[in-house]
Amino acid sequence: MSTPPSLASGPEGPHALRPLLNTVLDALTEGARARGGPLPAGGPDAVAARMRDAVGDVLPDKGDPGALHNLVRALAAGATDPSDPLCAAHLHCPPLALATAADLAASALNPSLDSWDQAPGASELEALVMRELAAEVFGAGEAQKVPIALLTTGGTESNQLALLLAREAQGAGVRLVHGANAHHSLPRAAWLLGLPEPVAVPAPAGILDPAALDEALHRLPGPHLVAATAGTTDAGLIDPLPEIAALCATHGARLHIDAAYGGGLLFSDRYRDRLTGLDAADSVTLDLHKLGWQPVAAGLLAVSDPDDLAVLHHRADYLNADDDTEAGLPDLLGRSLRTSRRPDVLKIAVTLKTLGRSGLGRLVEQVCDHAHEFAALVHDHPGFELYDPPTISTVLFRPAHATDAAVAAVRRRLLTDGRAVLGRARIDGRLWFKATFLNPHTRPDDLAALLKLVEGNTPG
């Protein structure tokens, strides 16, 4: 009888993992060398063909002992590398090595946060970290109303939860009122939850217009849920949060702030005041796999009133029987709409504890500084046009006198050649390159090289 494969947990787990980790690390190195740039060259068809060749038969009759090395190498060779300074398209951060190492421990231990008996330590760690991060957003709160946060898979899930809480607090007729600059997940969540058709308020210059919001709240029958944005996807802009909060108070509207991108500014003494007004929200979305340098997934929904979460209570006798709860076993089902949940909190806790607020703040300030440095290069170059100075770490720019079609073609050419990953954003009716800087290790020479690469690939 053959010996079963080794397990990652238990007393023998570390011994079994050690040689496998060497295999993985070697394959990552080989794959990155084969890729040779920020992303694989050749475009979708070529990348797909190379992956098919590497995989072969997905489920062979007899296993392949080299599969771990070969598939990790193939995935690395076919990956986009967010740590490459020429990879600057999306809110897709290079994860910290220490957070990635902590994620390995989470996978090896494999707690599931749907019942205490599957995650005794992880459930308490999650509660501690969520309370601390909620306090970063809202302050400590009152003794009977301590703010709390829920761990999510990211901004989309957090925004969906925020709308669900609003529906349960205000009724099924609550109408979402959001800026035209809002993330697509907000109106999509309204559709998913069967809410009335959302109303998009104009966002001239990329931020929600308070006067237009005031008019909409006067005109539309309530109740209302206003969604503001602290860090737009296209340009990293922040809505006028204090004015929006004041309007919500005047009209009796609930306020949700999507700070999936901008929330990381909380850690920076220099930039924190850009989030003034955040603590006036009823709920706030944060993503630490953006300005937090965590492996995906690391999202949060923070709520100012913990009583709002009572609607998430759910009973499943095999997980949180009444008599078990009465006997003192923690009830975890009310922390999420998901049942099985991995302990994503571990990597977050390790990062917070290792770097501290000052260490995280320095990372935030470094990437924001890089954005300002790149914007200055664009501004001073006669061949380029800068949209605006950056608010966070995103810069919009385009070659002077280029057509929108040319901008799109240059971006696709750089992608297909495997030379650079730039985003795109359409603002004020024009198409712009989007460079989002999330790598604290980027150097001034890297910034100049990125601009030069775009220049060299733009038709004269």
Side-chain angles (χ1 to χ4, degrees), residues 72-106:
V72 171
R73 183 189 185 282
L75 190 63
T80 297
D81 180 7
S83 71
D84 191 295
L86 298 180
C87 180
H90 301 287
L91 293 166
H92 177 203
C93 74
L96 294 171
L98 66 92
T100 305
D103 222 17
L104 169 66

Side-chain angles (χ1 to χ4, degrees), residues 309-451:
L309 302 183
V311 299
L312 300 181
H313 174 73
H314 182 69
R315 184 68 65 192
D317 194 66
Y318 74 104
L319 295 173
N320 61 347
D322 286 331
D323 57 318
D324 278 348
T325 303
E326 292 166 3
L329 295 183
D331 178 354
L332 306 187
L333 281 185
R335 296 188 187 181
S336 178
L337 291 178
R338 291 173 287 145
T339 304
S340 298
R341 290 192 299 121
R342 72 189 306 273
D344 287 315
V345 70
L346 178 60
K347 61 197 175 192
I348 299 171
V350 167
T351 301
L352 298 177
K353 187 75 172 173
T354 302
L355 298 185
R357 183 181 287 102
S358 60
L360 276 168
R362 279 193 296 273
L363 294 180
V364 170
E365 289 161 10
Q366 285 166 348
V367 297
C368 291
D369 288 346
H370 295 155
H372 283 282
E373 292 162 11
F374 186 73
L377 290 176
V378 172
H379 178 270
D380 294 341
H381 194 302
F384 285 94
E385 180 181 352
L386 176 69
Y387 176 73
D388 234 354
T391 300
I392 308 178
S393 67
T394 297
V395 178
L396 301 184
F397 69 105
R398 55 180 286 147
H401 312 301
T403 65
D404 285 357
V407 171
V410 170
R411 175 180 173 272
R412 287 192 291 268
R413 183 182 309 120
L414 293 173
L415 287 174
T416 301
D417 293 346
R419 301 178 69 190
V421 189
L422 283 168
R424 54 183 286 163
R426 186 170 295 279
I427 293 185
D428 298 336
R430 304 173 72 200
L431 187 64
W432 301 80
F433 289 120
K434 179 174 71 170
T436 304
F437 297 98
L438 293 178
N439 184 352
H441 295 281
T442 297
R443 303 165 302 178
D445 287 352
D446 298 323
L447 301 174
L450 178 59
L451 193 61

